[in-house]
Amino acid sequence: MDAPSSPNVSVPPDLKTTVKDEQMYEAHVIDTAAGVLAGVVALLSVLKTASWQRRMASAAIDLRIVWTFVLFYAGDVANVLVLVTVATGLYWLTIHKAQQQVSVVLPLPHQEKHFVTYVICAFALKVSQWTDDPRASEAKAVQFLHKLTVQLSVDVFFIDWERPRTTASRTAAGTTQQKRDLSPVSIWRTYFVANEWNEIQTVRKIRPTFQIMAVLFFLEALDFWKLTLRAPWPPSKVGTPSYSPIVRYGLASTLWLCIGLLQVIFTVFYEICVDDKIRQFVDLCSISNISVLLLPQRCFGYYIHGRSVHGHADTNMEEMNNNLRREAESLCAQRGLLPGTDTQTFQVALSTRLRSQYDRIRESFTARYGPARLTVPGSAGRWEQNIRAYHAMNHFLASVVDHVHPDMDYYVRDKLALERVMGVEFLEPIDRSIFYNDGAHSFSDVLFYGHESTLLSFDTLFFCVVDFACQNFVLAGLLTYIQQTMFQKIRAFFGRKNLVYKTQVDARFLK
């Protein structure tokens, strides 16, 4: 239970002047730190905007570019305010509670409002950061207050490399006919890969429910909430002083971030030793003979090369086991896109000519979220149109990977160290597209998995802002859980719809 409030701890007369000056100095330091860092991150926002402009193949500096810069800058300033406020809260928590005698007291209530304003501004800017998809504003779609809104409109397509097998038939006399029958290619492999992709869209590096329970365990069960009282540690037995918003925020945010960081570290070791869903998806693509193209920006995205080294994936159990055994014993080619390599994941910068052809084929797709027999009359014709468009897209992308089109060819290279650090590509794909080797599996950037730091910081701010309003950690944890569940369901629902539309996979096979 939260302790009732009471008058603040008295300050000795000889300390009043010193304390007042120190409080004014601390407020000045916070303002200065936030201002200086906000100016520094402006350069980072300019770099992000320039990179985004190139990846969108936009030459002109228009209102959309300016709006994109504003959104990037809002997100960077939010990160600055989080850094400054958490550091300030942790400073007051340790300095004030560690003193044996009253030599430093907390800022006065009207001065703490200045700090609370910073936290609320950080939360508001985080909300604006979560709507950094300019295409969403162009389409006038509902903004879900989430940075990963771009994931709901990412272009995705599964390239099926399987080709029909020929089967020789025999006559009654036992001789083989010259005519050969083609066995149809099964769609089940594509459905299976699409379903696995749908399932990992909302996978995170931490367990949100465990995160909330662990934080509440320390705050309530172990009585860490007593550290948020205005009295130095240990609290006085005579009366109960009121809470300090700065110390309360410092304790809650530090606990939340530390437990989240420990979960991330545990996940790293768990994925190395036990189970890694992201890398397993790449292996599944290779076994299924399916590649994946992901385009979060118009001319930039990710490619997962899943072409089977055995030529076919529609096979029986015996042949599949033999194929896997041959791979384990290095008796066949490697899985990489280039001969003699095993790199299967790439960042891709597409030429405008290739993207234009991609858009022309995609325009033939029509929205379809349910079975044709349950839609309006005439849907059968649209379904046949989608089938033709699907095969055209599959043939086109497969031929591009096989270097069939000289005017839309590509080459493979490594990114420079400076390109990786800055997050920008120095070479522009004018005549040929560029495939950058990517051993870090950066395609997770279009999943929840690749934005854990953003999700973790937002959950921290949400929990603390709710606690500012109600001064109840349990209620803040409950509302944070509801918020997490809501956004996860929104991401899953609309991400599933986008997957169905962009890949033409039947929604009934996705769970």
Side-chain angles (χ1 to χ4, degrees):
M1 295 179 60
D2 292 339
S5 61
S6 66
N8 298 340
V9 176
S10 62
V11 181
D14 57 336
L15 290 177
K16 288 184 178 180
T17 302
T18 304
V19 169
K20 181 179 178 180
D21 294 340
E22 184 174 353
Q23 290 169 349
M24 293 179 61
Y25 174 75
E26 293 296 339
H28 176 68
V29 168
I30 295 175
D31 294 338
T32 302
V36 171
L37 292 177
V40 172
V41 297
L43 301 177
L44 178 61
S45 300
V46 171
L47 181 62
K48 289 181 179 179
T49 305
S51 177
W52 179 88
Q53 182 182 13
R54 171 173 289 188
R55 292 175 176 182
M56 292 294 293
S58 176
I61 300 179
D62 51 13
L63 184 61
R64 185 177 63 168
I65 300 298
V66 176
W67 177 242
T68 302
F69 168 76
V70 171
L71 292 176
F72 279 137
Y73 187 56
D76 291 334
V77 171
N79 294 331
V80 166
L81 294 181
V82 170
L83 176 63
V84 171
T85 54
V86 171
T88 303
L90 184 60
Y91 165 81
W92 281 109
L93 175 64
T94 55
I95 296 299
H96 184 62
K97 295 302 177 181
Q99 60 184 340
Q100 299 297 325
Q101 297 179 349
V102 181
S103 58
V104 177
V105 297
L106 292 169
L108 299 175
H110 74 276
Q111 294 171 326
E112 289 181 324
K113 291 181 180 179
H114 182 262
F115 177 84
V116 173
T117 301
Y118 270 119
V119 177
I120 295 176
C121 288
F123 177 75
L125 291 175
K126 272 292 180 182
V127 171
S128 67
Q129 181 192 16
W130 286 1
T131 59
D132 62 354
D133 181 17
R135 291 180 295 176
S137 60
E138 291 178 355
K140 302 186 183 302
V142 178
Q143 295 182 342
F144 299 115
L145 305 181
H146 203 284
K147 180 183 178 181
L148 305 183
T149 303
V150 63
Q151 297 180 7
L152 303 180
S153 58
V154 61
D155 292 325
V156 54
F157 193 82
F158 300 108
I159 307 172
D160 191 352
W161 294 100
E162 197 75 10
R163 295 294 178 262
R165 287 191 177 187
T166 58
T167 57
S169 57
R170 296 181 175 275
T171 63
T175 59
T176 303
Q177 288 183 341
Q178 296 297 325
K179 181 180 179 181
R180 296 176 179 269
D181 300 325
L182 297 179
S183 60
V185 174
S186 172
I187 195 62
W188 288 108
R189 293 171 298 99
T190 301
Y191 282 171
F192 185 60
V193 172
N195 185 67
E196 290 298 316
W197 176 259
N198 184 60
E199 288 183 353
I200 66 174
Q201 287 191 95
T202 56
V203 169
R204 292 183 58 174
K205 294 181 181 179
I206 70 170
R207 299 296 181 265
T209 303
F210 174 82
Q211 175 79 14
I212 296 174
M213 297 301 296
V215 170
L216 293 181
F217 173 77
F218 282 99
L219 291 175
E220 297 293 338
L222 299 184
D223 289 338
F224 275 34
W225 62 269
K226 293 180 179 179
L227 293 172
T228 66
L229 301 177
R230 288 187 177 274
W233 186 259
S236 174
K237 297 181 180 179
V238 181
T240 306
S242 61
Y243 293 113
S244 167
I246 292 182
V247 176
R248 197 174 179 91
Y249 174 82
L251 176 63
S253 60
T254 302
L255 265 178
W256 194 285
L257 293 175
C258 288
I259 294 175
L261 179 60
L262 290 176
Q263 283 204 74
V264 172
I265 295 175
F266 172 79
T267 299
V268 171
F269 285 100
Y270 180 82
E271 289 175 346
I272 294 176
C273 302
V274 182
D275 182 26
D276 187 348
K277 293 183 180 297
I278 302 301
R279 286 171 173 77
Q280 282 182 354
F281 178 77
V282 178
D283 292 336
L284 175 64
C285 291
S286 295
I287 296 174
S288 303
N289 204 14
I290 299 238
S291 295
V292 184
L293 179 65
L294 304 158
L295 298 174
Q297 280 86 37
R298 185 174 185 271
C299 291
F300 181 84
Y302 309 95
Y303 173 68
I304 303 173
H305 186 65
R307 191 171 191 173
S308 175
V309 297
H310 309 289
H312 292 277
D314 279 340
T315 183
N316 54 35
M317 182 181 296
E318 181 182 1
E319 186 174 353
M320 178 63 72
N321 289 334
N322 289 334
N323 291 340
L324 295 177
R325 179 183 55 80
R326 291 178 60 201
E327 283 196 64
E329 298 176 356
S330 301
L331 298 178
C332 60
Q334 294 177 288
R335 292 180 175 181
L337 174 62
L338 298 179
T341 66
D342 56 2
T343 304
Q344 296 180 254
T345 54
F346 302 85
Q347 296 181 16
V348 296
L350 304 182
S351 64
T352 54
R353 182 177 301 168
L354 193 157
R355 176 67 201 210
S356 298
Q357 180 63 23
Y358 177 93
D359 289 336
R360 280 194 290 269
I361 300 176
R362 194 188 62 177
E363 288 173 358
S364 303
F365 291 172
T366 59
R368 178 184 59 85
Y369 301 126
R373 65 176 182 276
L374 299 181
T375 56
V376 296
S379 59
R382 292 199 301 270
W383 172 238
E384 293 176 356
Q385 177 184 349
N386 287 345
I387 292 295
R388 291 193 296 269
Y390 167 81
H391 287 297
M393 181 68 79
N394 191 84
H395 176 74
F396 168 68
L397 294 179
S399 61
V400 168
V401 175
D402 281 341
H403 302 279
V404 174
H405 306 281
D407 58 336
M408 291 181 285
D409 204 359
Y410 68 93
Y411 64 96
V412 181
R413 66 182 294 266
D414 292 324
K415 265 193 173 184
L416 301 176
L418 190 58
E419 287 180 309
R420 292 195 297 268
V421 172
M422 299 177 62
V424 63
E425 297 77 38
F426 296 156
L427 297 179
E428 202 166 346
I430 300 177
D431 298 324
R432 293 192 296 169
S433 301
I434 307 174
F435 281 36
Y436 295 97
N437 292 310
D438 178 33
H441 297 77
S442 299
F443 68 89
S444 62
D445 286 345
V446 299
L447 307 171
F448 266 5
Y449 187 90
H451 291 274
E452 188 57 58
S453 60
T454 300
L455 294 171
L456 188 63
S457 61
F458 176 78
D459 290 341
T460 304
L461 290 172
F462 186 90
F463 180 83
C464 293
V465 168
V466 172
D467 181 65
F468 279 155
C470 62
Q471 290 196 349
N472 189 312
F473 287 127
V474 176
L475 179 59
L478 176 62
L479 294 180
T480 303
Y481 173 77
I482 295 174
Q483 170 263 131
Q484 291 173 339
T485 304
M486 180 184 68
F487 280 119
Q488 182 180 15
K489 290 186 178 298
I490 289 175
R491 173 66 179 86
F493 178 77
F494 287 98
R496 180 171 176 264
K497 279 199 167 187
N498 179 70
L499 183 63
V500 170
Y501 171 59
K502 298 295 177 59
T503 65
Q504 296 301 302
V505 171
D506 199 304
R508 293 170 293 179
F509 296 95
L510 303 178
K511 61 180 180 179

